[in-house]
Amino acid sequence: MDDWYLAIFAVSLASTAVGLFVGYQAYRGFRRHQSAAMQYLSAGLILLTAVTNTAAFVGSALLRYGVIDASLQSPFTLGVRLLQFAGLLCIAYSLYRRP
């Protein structure tokens, strides 16, 4: 492994960990106050950070080591972008949802 790959791995791992922490804190807020807005915020943050970072990292590793065919790179990238979009939609909904 080269230095760039290790740096990317470290930053991805740190981003995933922080995203899970923030999403978990939002989930705790939802549980404490039973707020649907906090539930959507939590889901959006977890989708936007932890799920997409993990999916992108695993997909990159599978492509890099030839486990999956390179022709699947574009559909996989689209899937990751759709997960990001879903996370952003959840966050936007949480911000504009009225009780």
Side-chain angles (χ1 to χ4, degrees):
M1 287 189 194
D2 61 348
D3 292 339
W4 286 107
Y5 189 73
L6 289 175
I8 291 168
F9 175 74
V11 171
S12 294
L13 187 62
S15 295
T16 301
V18 171
L20 279 173
F21 174 75
V22 172
Y24 176 70
Q25 293 301 320
Y27 177 73
R28 286 182 58 208
F30 155 69
R31 295 282 310 264
R32 187 177 315 122
H33 302 290
Q34 296 298 313
S35 168
M38 289 300 286
Q39 183 179 21
Y40 280 97
L41 179 64
S42 173
L45 288 169
I46 290 171
L47 273 174
L48 188 60
T49 58
V51 173
T52 56
N53 281 347
T54 301
F57 178 76
V58 169
S60 295
L62 292 175
L63 285 165
R64 180 181 177 106
Y65 296 112
V67 176
I68 60 174
D69 189 50
S71 65
L72 296 175
Q73 183 174 359
S74 293
F76 191 82
T77 301
L78 177 62
V80 170
R81 297 294 182 235
L82 287 171
L83 285 170
Q84 288 175 329
F85 185 64
L88 287 171
L89 285 176
C90 286
I91 292 170
Y93 183 74
S94 77
L95 295 174
Y96 288 100
R97 187 178 189 289
R98 300 289 181 242

